[in-house]
Amino acid sequence: MAHHKSALKRIRQTDVRTERNRARRSRIRTYVKKVELAVTEGDQTKANEALRAAQSELTRGVVKGLYKKNTASRKISRLNAKVRSLSA
């Protein structure tokens, strides 16, 4: 266990950030699942709305440092391809 005040504070900060990031990651996964569910149901409008929300959440994840830019871009691209496959 740490003994210095600064080290104790860093541990507290890390715990708070870990919880926050865990909640954010879970929230993003939920949005992605909503898109995939709408695609499997074959509902075009629902899939488009879910995609828009998921895209926003993934972008927010990049801004908050949860994902790298290319990772989020790849995820958005793959979701977009799934949604587009409905209209084809």
Side-chain angles (χ1 to χ4, degrees), residues 54-69:
Q55 192 170 355
S56 174
E57 285 298 317
L58 281 162
T59 307
R60 186 176 294 148
V62 171
V63 170
K64 298 295 183 181
L66 201 61
Y67 291 116
K68 291 189 174 181
K69 190 171 72 170

Side-chain angles (χ1 to χ4, degrees), residues 39-40 42 44 47-48 78-88:
V39 169
T40 56
Q44 177 78 37
N48 280 330
R78 288 179 181 168
L79 285 173
N80 200 12
K82 287 180 183 178
V83 171
R84 272 186 291 144
S85 71
L86 285 177
S87 62

Side-chain angles (χ1 to χ4, degrees), residues 8-58:
L8 292 169
K9 182 177 178 180
R10 294 300 303 172
I11 291 169
R12 286 195 310 268
Q13 287 176 332
T14 301
D15 290 342
V16 168
R17 288 189 183 124
T18 300
E19 281 303 310
R20 235 180 246 149
N21 287 338
R22 190 173 290 148
R24 280 193 188 115
R25 191 170 284 119
S26 173
R27 180 180 165 99
I28 290 170
R29 277 196 215 110
T30 302
Y31 276 92
V32 169
K33 283 178 192 170
K34 285 180 184 176
V35 175
E36 290 170 348
L37 182 68
V39 169
T40 56
E41 288 175 355
D43 190 350
Q44 177 78 37
T45 57
K46 191 176 174 184
N48 280 330
E49 290 171 12
L51 175 66
R52 193 174 298 118
Q55 192 170 355
S56 174
E57 285 298 317
L58 281 162

